[in-house]
Amino acid sequence: MNILGLVFAVLLTNKFVKFRNLSRTMIILPYMVSGLVLGFIWQFIFNKVFPQIGTAMNSDLLETSWLATPKMAFYALVMVSVWQMAGYVMFIYIAALLNIPSELVESAQLDGAGGFQIFRKVKFPLIMPAVTIGLFYAANTAFKVFDVNFALTNGGPANSTVSVAMDIYNEAFARSNHGLGCAKSTIFFLVVAALTFVQLKFTQSREVQM
């Protein structure tokens, strides 16, 4: 999610790229749509569209529905989740990149630095606060994914794609084990809080003050 969002942000802050505003709008659109709607749309694509394309192209990868096997169903869930959220992360990085003083970039260019060197040595260290936010957002989103999971696979096949949030939901509401569901949600909160704290400390230690 962060890698794709950063790539989009770098490309769409380049003044030589045409239709930047239109491209940004198209990339952010999946985030604006409900996760349930996206899940049902992609369920149709994986079950109906991809197999027809696979049959026409004689492709084993696409000929069988990705949602029919545990391994491919997990990859499908990851792909849809990343596709939905990458646009939001992209705007975080766009804001950070546009906030970099142009004098620093111009100085690096005068010193003979190339585009990749400027990004690695100048821009990336300066957008570390945005990386902190992006990683925090991605981690929380990955842990709490439910709507796309529910609509796309409903935990199948054979419970191979049941997320933590879905497991807690099933325990508390589907099986009416409210006590166990509450206990699981409490442990889930503590684990997410601990991992988030470690991630924030790790990335914040690498931030550069302008």
Side-chain angles (χ1 to χ4, degrees), residues 62-172:
L62 299 177
E63 201 166 9
T64 303
S65 172
W66 283 23
L67 305 182
T69 60
K71 183 178 180 180
M72 296 308 295
F74 174 76
Y75 291 149
L77 180 60
V78 171
M79 188 181 82
V80 175
S81 298
V82 170
W83 176 74
Q84 180 190 18
M85 299 298 178
Y88 182 83
V89 179
M90 175 193 71
F91 272 91
I92 295 175
Y93 289 131
I94 285 178
L97 289 169
L98 294 178
N99 196 43
I100 295 175
S102 58
E103 296 84 1
L104 297 177
V105 177
E106 292 171 359
S107 298
Q109 291 173 338
L110 290 174
D111 289 337
F116 180 74
Q117 288 178 312
I118 292 175
F119 176 77
R120 187 167 66 92
K121 296 293 186 178
V122 179
K123 291 184 178 181
F124 189 74
L126 293 175
I127 65 170
M128 277 305 297
V131 174
T132 299
I133 297 172
L135 290 176
F136 173 80
Y137 174 77
N140 277 272
T141 300
F143 275 116
K144 296 186 296 185
V145 61
F146 176 79
D147 48 0
V148 173
N149 190 191
F150 180 82
L152 184 64
T153 65
N154 197 22
N159 294 327
S160 60
T161 59
V162 176
S163 65
V164 179
M166 177 172 282
D167 178 73
I168 294 172
Y169 170 83
N170 291 336
E171 194 68 62

